[in-house]
Amino acid sequence: MPTIEVTNLEKTFSIPQREPGLGGAFKGLFNPKYTKKTAVDSISFSLETGEVVGYIGVNGAGKSTTIKMLTGILEPSGGSVRVLGRNPHKDRVANARDIGVVFGQRTQLWWDLALRESLWLVAKIYEIPKAEFARRLEEFADVLELEELLSKPIRTMSLGQKMRAELAATLIHRPKVVYLDEPTIGLDVLVKERIRGFLKAQNKQYGTTVLLTTHDLGDIEELCSRVLIIDSGQLIYDGALETIKQRFGTHRTMKFELSTVGAGLASPLQMPNGAEITNQEGSSLELRFDRLKCSASQVASSVMNQLEVLDFSIGEPDLTSIIKQIYAGGLS
């Protein structure tokens, strides 16, 4: 039996419509009118035990609404969802014991308490024995580098420190299923790498099932072999990450800052096969190239041999553009 099983899941919200002014406020009070907004539109998928699956889409696509139904916070308007054989909304207490949740911009820790005290309160809620808590705390403090943070109040921590603390609180009771909603948002590269490594280790050691929503392609590439893509509440892709990368992740961009001497192009640039100029304005030059046909070093070398370059950067494919390509053309 799948650990998570979603069948024709739907969620519709009734949004009040109000006219402007005091008169509109009275009308809305005594004769309210509503419009229907479908956030999740008949989606189906399943996750097996130990899978780490990326759940991606643009803002407003329905990702967080889905997570809230899986955790039992919201009740579905239609369809069904089973987590470890339970209905998350009807069996919220039992479901909560077996899951962990991280919302990137919200905290489950006590603002004025030191981290050690906050984690101990979480352990008490989940009835973790004191000796077992001490062992897990030592493990997390080592892997997540929390030792210096244990005596600090949560309110004094940086964003990266808080996120590491949140992960410890989420996994301290060894949940079977973990939902991560933008867990690395706003974090620097080193903190992201530490968090990714920690999540991979937990998944490998304990077989934790993970559903990850993120806008960071690095999170997806490091942690997931399978992705679900949602757009306007509808599931438009469920399959291997490698397929996405091969079909839609082949193109990169390069931006060059040229010297004033080399800014003007006296003659057309000679570019490697698979590379093309997308924009040139003043001393800035932008290129797009297919990494399957030519490498970044080939493109950079070609430009530098013809122009005087002060600086350049390489850009990865934008997640929003990838989703738009899939939604427009599909993968057939």
Side-chain angles (χ1 to χ4, degrees), residues 225-246:
S225 59
R226 174 186 167 202
V227 292
L228 307 170
I229 299 180
I230 187 172
D231 187 271
S232 300
Q234 296 182 328
L235 195 65
I236 59 175
Y237 179 74
D238 177 358
L241 174 61
E242 193 59 34
T243 302
I244 298 294
K245 292 169 68 177
Q246 289 176 356

Side-chain angles (χ1 to χ4, degrees), residues 7-219:
T7 306
N8 298 324
L9 187 63
E10 297 181 1
K11 184 60 184 178
T12 302
F13 295 98
S14 294
I15 303 174
Q17 298 298 298
R18 294 176 181 171
E19 297 179 18
L22 185 61
F26 275 104
K27 286 183 180 180
L29 182 63
F30 295 104
N31 187 26
K33 295 181 180 180
Y34 300 89
T35 59
K36 297 291 186 180
K37 168 65 176 177
T38 300
V40 176
D41 188 4
S42 191
I43 65 172
S44 300
F45 62 85
S46 63
L47 271 66
E48 299 296 331
T49 301
E51 272 197 288
V52 182
V53 177
Y55 192 45
I56 58 181
V58 297
N59 289 331
K63 304 186 301 297
S64 294
T65 301
T66 305
I67 296 294
K68 289 175 182 177
M69 287 190 282
L70 290 172
T71 57
I73 296 173
L74 292 178
E75 183 176 12
S77 304
S80 66
V81 54
R82 310 292 291 184
V83 177
L84 297 167
R86 305 187 188 101
N87 181 317
H89 187 74
K90 293 182 178 179
D91 300 319
R92 292 186 65 177
V93 174
N95 182 62
R97 288 187 172 275
D98 287 327
I99 68 170
V101 187
V102 172
F103 288 105
Q105 297 296 327
R106 298 175 186 174
T107 184
Q108 58 189 311
L109 298 170
W110 285 263
W111 195 243
D112 289 313
L113 292 183
L115 175 57
R116 187 190 303 273
E117 295 169 350
S118 280
L119 293 177
W120 173 237
L121 286 175
V122 174
K124 292 285 285 184
I125 291 172
Y126 287 100
E127 300 177 345
I128 301 172
K130 190 172 183 178
E132 179 62 17
F133 167 73
R135 190 185 68 79
R136 295 181 189 180
L137 182 61
E138 183 179 1
E139 175 193 343
F140 288 1
D142 179 50
V143 178
L144 289 172
E145 297 186 9
L146 297 176
E147 191 63 46
E148 295 182 357
L149 304 179
L150 292 176
S151 60
K152 292 183 63 173
I154 305 303
R155 59 182 170 79
T156 65
M157 294 182 185
S158 68
L159 179 60
Q161 291 171 338
K162 288 176 186 174
M163 190 52 59
R164 284 184 279 147
E166 291 288 343
L167 282 172
T170 297
L171 296 167
I172 197 75
H173 64 291
R174 297 274 188 260
K176 298 176 181 177
V177 180
V178 174
Y179 305 104
L180 303 174
D181 192 1
E182 301 288 356
T184 63
I185 187 169
L187 304 184
D188 63 45
V189 174
L190 291 178
V191 176
K192 286 183 180 182
E193 287 299 319
R194 189 176 296 122
I195 288 175
R196 291 166 185 166
F198 174 71
L199 292 172
K200 284 192 285 188
Q202 291 291 304
N203 169 256
K204 183 177 180 180
Q205 185 172 358
Y206 301 106
T208 310
T209 304
V210 179
L211 185 63
L212 167 69
T213 78
T214 182
H215 283 84
D216 192 325
L217 276 178
D219 290 344

Side-chain angles (χ1 to χ4, degrees), residues 225-292:
S225 59
R226 174 186 167 202
V227 292
L228 307 170
I229 299 180
I230 187 172
D231 187 271
S232 300
Q234 296 182 328
L235 195 65
I236 59 175
Y237 179 74
D238 177 358
L241 174 61
E242 193 59 34
T243 302
I244 298 294
K245 292 169 68 177
Q246 289 176 356
R247 289 289 302 275
F248 298 99
T250 60
H251 286 85
R252 303 288 188 271
T253 59
M254 293 190 76
K255 295 183 180 181
F256 294 87
E257 186 66 28
L258 308 177
S259 70
T260 53
V261 176
L265 300 181
S267 59
L269 277 177
Q270 300 300 312
M271 302 302 302
N273 182 38
E276 61 179 351
I277 297 174
T278 55
N279 186 47
Q280 194 238 332
E281 185 175 349
S283 61
S284 296
L285 177 67
E286 294 184 14
L287 304 174
R288 181 172 182 264
F289 68 96
D290 186 336
R291 63 180 178 83
L292 299 181

Side-chain angles (χ1 to χ4, degrees), residues 288-309:
R288 181 172 182 264
F289 68 96
D290 186 336
R291 63 180 178 83
L292 299 181
K293 296 180 179 179
C294 60
S295 66
S297 61
Q298 288 175 317
V299 176
S301 177
S302 177
V303 174
M304 290 178 181
N305 286 336
Q306 299 175 72
L307 298 170
E308 187 176 345
V309 176

